[in-house]
Amino acid sequence: MVLRRLAVTGALLAVTLGAAALPAAPTASATPQADPPPKPLARVLPAADHARIPVPHKAASTIAAPDIDVAKVQAHLTELNNIATRNGGTRKSSGQGYRDSVAYVRSKLQAAGYTVTEQPCTSGCATGAGPNLIAEWPQGDATKVYMFGAHLDSVGAGPGINDNGSGSAALLETALTLAEQNPAMAARVRFGWWTDEEQGLNGSDFYVSSLSSADRSKIKAYYNFDMIASTNGGYFINHLNSTAAQPMKEYWDSLSLQPEENTEGAGRSDDYSFEQAGIPTSGYAMGAGARKTSAQATKWGGTANRAYDSCYHQSCDTTGNINATGLNRSVDGIAYTLWKLAVTNSTPANDFSLAVSPATGSVDPGTSATATVSTATTSGSAQTVKLSASGAPAGVTVSFSPATVTSGSSSTMTVGTSSSAAPGTYTLTVTGTGSVTHTTTYTLTVKGAGGCTGQQLLVNGGFENGTSPWTGNTGAIGAYTGQSAHSGSRFAWLGGYGSSATDSLSQTVTVPSGCGKATLTYWLHIDTEETQNVAYDTFKVKVGNSTLATLSNTDASNGYTQRTLDLSPYIGQRIALTFTATEDAGLQTSFVVDDAALQTG
């Protein structure tokens, strides 16, 4: 878990957290020795303890979750500890220890049949940071995704076996158990192992920001697991009373653990990246450097007025710093949540999805454009899908190679035009026909002959004429006390709340073909109360799902600055231009926009 500035209503959050109910759980030394040799793993919860644990009620549409073998989770922890030992005692994100950890987890998942992707963190991460690792079980409804994540990196001072080998290993064994049992799936399950969490949640931030709005909307909930085996720990749940948390709470309630809200971890682990994007989140934790209260020690056992994890961010965070009882209860709760949300008794009907990329093309008469038509099995078994297209005007032809695919495969679509094809923009409908039929669209622009007439395309770019045609948080537009316009009297004031918030303004325009250049200019004033040179609050300029520019509180200065972006790649396309400001939990940053223009020439 990363150390991070937290602010609530302008004050630093200072709380003492509760710890989880562990009957005589092993504890670490209050004053750990530097670089102790790895200790043997704490004992596994006896079989008799399992017999005393009631099985939570299962919904009629799901099957019982398995009892995950905690000894197998501990075996993964032993390997992560060995990896750290071979690499200077650490698995920090920029080191070989982290890359070897990724390779270990990846090899297990690939052998089990997962679709595995390494995502390099190309912006915002520490220099040399390794990739995120994403694994998806390729069954279930692809439009309904439940995601489970944990950071795989450690601090530089130690191997990070509780922080956060515990969460990483628990997710790995849960994923392998899912693959082994191979139940019918009602929804997709995706796992993420994040890089560079200890440097500021950077890997998960990068992953979430790289998702399109459509892909974000598919993620119905994200569950985070960071430090789930603390030796003096407690049973904490993120957003304890939320809808997302209910399966997790239901399982721990069945063990009479009386979990508490994870206040210590709020905003300090990777769930915060998803939470900022509007995705429901929850997760388990057992505490870090905060101290257990007397009431919590009475309720859960352990030692009052002592850190939940006395080896937090230290070299003694080895396999000897693991509470096997808490680890076992956590991993079984993870499995319970996954099975309840995504597994079903019934065999789902065969279905597939259909998509075209790119979804637009611009050509001169007599030339052609290509795009990839992708299919995926969203439920049931793979099936044969026949591809066709309609809506092509005279002089335009569409062909597919191959014309028939098995869902999960792709085809190359070629859109050809004759020299007599009339200039204009046309919507083609691409159809996939199998046991069911799905369609998607492709927008073709046939360029016209002749020169370019330069023009300014944005309407009401100075915000002087009401709010139309801007959409989004149009209440940001006006003449407000505390800020001034670049010209005229009105402007768009995005952010400035001093609390978690997002403001966006969008306008859709068509950039005509025939011109060689399109340039966006806008005037931006940034002021902030942030004092650290860290990008807590951001301002982004996007076209569709592509981010063209990112600024932050670190760019604050007196007065307005004119910013310029080249939009020439979008000539001949209809685009949605969006300004978005996002603030974190405290200390305001205002992003004030005025006199925006999109000029062709």
Side-chain angles (χ1 to χ4, degrees):
M1 181 167 68
V2 70
L3 288 170
R4 185 181 183 277
R5 175 189 58 73
L6 287 177
V8 176
T9 62
L12 289 179
L13 180 63
V15 295
T16 303
L17 293 190
L22 310 179
T27 58
S29 170
T31 307
Q33 300 298 313
D35 298 313
K39 304 174 188 176
L41 286 167
R43 68 177 180 85
V44 179
L45 187 69
D49 195 278
H50 287 280
R52 292 195 300 270
I53 296 176
V55 177
H57 173 71
K58 300 294 191 295
S61 61
T62 61
I63 61 175
D67 180 2
I68 304 296
D69 187 347
V70 74
K72 293 182 178 179
V73 181
Q74 291 174 301
H76 299 314
L77 292 177
T78 297
E79 182 54 32
L80 292 176
N81 199 107
N82 292 339
I83 287 171
T85 300
R86 294 194 295 267
N87 291 281
T90 181
R91 297 183 302 105
K92 62 182 180 180
S93 63
S94 58
Q96 188 61 43
Y98 177 77
R99 290 187 285 274
D100 288 353
S101 299
V102 170
Y104 173 75
V105 175
R106 182 190 63 228
S107 66
K108 296 285 186 182
L109 295 166
Q110 287 177 330
Y114 278 84
T115 302
V116 184
T117 304
E118 289 188 17
Q119 182 193 43
C121 184
T122 56
S123 66
C125 285
T127 301
N132 291 322
L133 186 68
I134 311 299
E136 185 161 317
W137 187 238
Q139 295 184 33
D141 184 349
T143 66
K144 186 178 182 181
V145 178
Y146 291 98
M147 194 161 185
F148 297 75
H151 73 88
L152 187 55
D153 64 319
S154 74
V155 293
I161 300 306
N162 185 37
D163 184 14
N164 183 39
S166 60
S168 294
L171 287 190
L172 175 58
E173 190 55 36
T174 301
L176 297 179
T177 303
L178 177 65
E180 180 182 6
Q181 295 205 354
N182 193 23
M185 302 297 293
R188 284 292 171 101
V189 174
R190 185 181 303 160
F191 297 91
W193 286 265
W194 309 118
T195 186
D196 217 35
E197 188 268 359
E198 297 290 4
Q199 304 303 313
L201 319 183
N202 298 325
S204 56
D205 276 347
F206 179 79
Y207 175 80
V208 174
S209 65
S210 70
L211 294 171
S212 67
S213 58
D215 285 337
R216 288 187 190 184
S217 68
K218 293 176 184 176
I219 301 176
K220 303 309 176 186
Y222 169 79
Y223 294 90
N224 195 66
F225 305 95
D226 193 350
M227 303 182 67
I228 59 171
S230 303
T231 53
N232 192 41
Y235 293 102
F236 303 112
I237 297 179
N238 305 340
H239 304 302
L240 177 66
N241 295 315
S242 67
T243 300
Q246 289 315 293
M248 314 206 81
K249 183 177 183 299
E250 184 176 291
Y251 184 78
W252 275 2
D253 282 347
S254 75
L255 307 182
S256 300
L257 296 179
Q258 303 176 60
E260 296 181 5
E261 178 65 41
N262 181 20
T263 314
E264 180 188 24
R268 293 177 58 186
S269 194
D270 295 295
D271 54 306
Y272 189 65
S273 301
F274 290 81
E275 182 180 330
Q276 288 292 92
I279 296 169
T281 64
S282 188
Y284 285 149
M286 292 188 68
R291 295 180 180 273
K292 177 175 283 186
T293 67
S294 297
Q296 292 165 347
T298 299
K299 179 170 66 168
W300 291 323
T303 305
N305 199 32
R306 183 178 180 183
Y308 302 125
D309 182 353
S310 297
C311 287
Y312 176 52
H313 282 186
Q314 298 179 56
S315 59
C316 58
D317 187 10
T318 66
T319 51
N321 190 44
I322 292 296
N323 186 318
T325 300
L327 180 65
N328 185 65
R329 290 168 172 173
S330 295
V331 72
D332 284 344
I334 294 170
Y336 176 79
T337 300
L338 188 158
W339 255 254
K340 183 161 188 175
L341 294 173
V343 174
T344 180
N345 271 327
S346 60
T347 301
N350 296 341
D351 203 354
F352 67 94
S353 62
L354 183 72
V356 177
S357 179
T360 62
S362 183
V363 299
D364 292 312
T367 63
S368 62
T370 60
T372 299
V373 180
S374 301
T375 64
T377 302
T378 58
S379 65
S381 302
Q383 61 180 291
T384 299
V385 179
K386 182 178 180 180
L387 301 173
S388 60
S390 59
V396 175
T397 59
V398 183
S399 62
F400 300 90
S401 180
T404 300
V405 298
T406 300
S407 57
S409 302
S410 60
S411 173
T412 299
M413 179 177 73
T414 301
V415 182
T417 64
S418 68
S419 58
S420 61
T425 299
Y426 307 96
T427 299
L428 310 182
T429 300
V430 179
T431 301
T433 304
S435 61
V436 293
T437 297
H438 292 290
T439 63
T440 188
T441 59
Y442 177 84
T443 301
L444 172 68
T445 298
V446 181
K447 299 178 183 178
C452 168
T453 301
Q455 56 183 309
Q456 200 287 108
L457 302 176
L458 283 183
V459 178
N460 195 21
F463 308 105
E464 299 297 324
N465 301 311
T467 61
S468 181
W470 296 98
T471 60
N473 302 104
T474 55
I477 298 172
Y480 297 107
T481 301
Q483 299 290 348
S484 59
H486 174 257
S487 67
S489 62
R490 290 162 57 86
F491 47 86
W493 185 353
L494 306 180
Y497 301 103
S499 59
S500 297
T502 298
D503 280 337
S504 291
L505 287 175
S506 297
Q507 187 174 146
T508 301
V509 297
T510 299
V511 185
S513 57
C515 293
K517 192 170 184 62
T519 303
L520 172 68
T521 59
Y522 60 97
W523 291 84
L524 178 65
H525 167 57
I526 305 174
D527 64 60
T528 186
E529 293 177 356
E530 301 282 3
T531 58
Q532 300 183 45
N533 189 31
V534 178
Y536 291 121
D537 309 317
T538 60
F539 175 85
K540 295 184 178 182
V541 183
K542 300 179 71 173
V543 171
N545 294 321
S546 300
T547 299
L548 305 187
T550 300
L551 297 150
S552 74
N553 51 278
T554 63
D555 299 296
S557 62
N558 294 326
Y560 280 88
T561 301
Q562 188 178 41
R563 308 280 179 172
T564 302
L565 291 171
D566 182 15
L567 268 58
S568 301
Y570 300 97
I571 289 174
Q573 300 181 34
R574 186 165 177 80
I575 62 172
L577 173 69
T578 304
F579 298 116
T580 299
T582 302
E583 286 188 281
D584 71 352
L587 301 181
Q588 75 85 25
T589 301
S590 295
F591 301 94
V592 186
V593 184
D594 203 358
D595 294 331
L598 176 50
Q599 182 68 45
T600 60

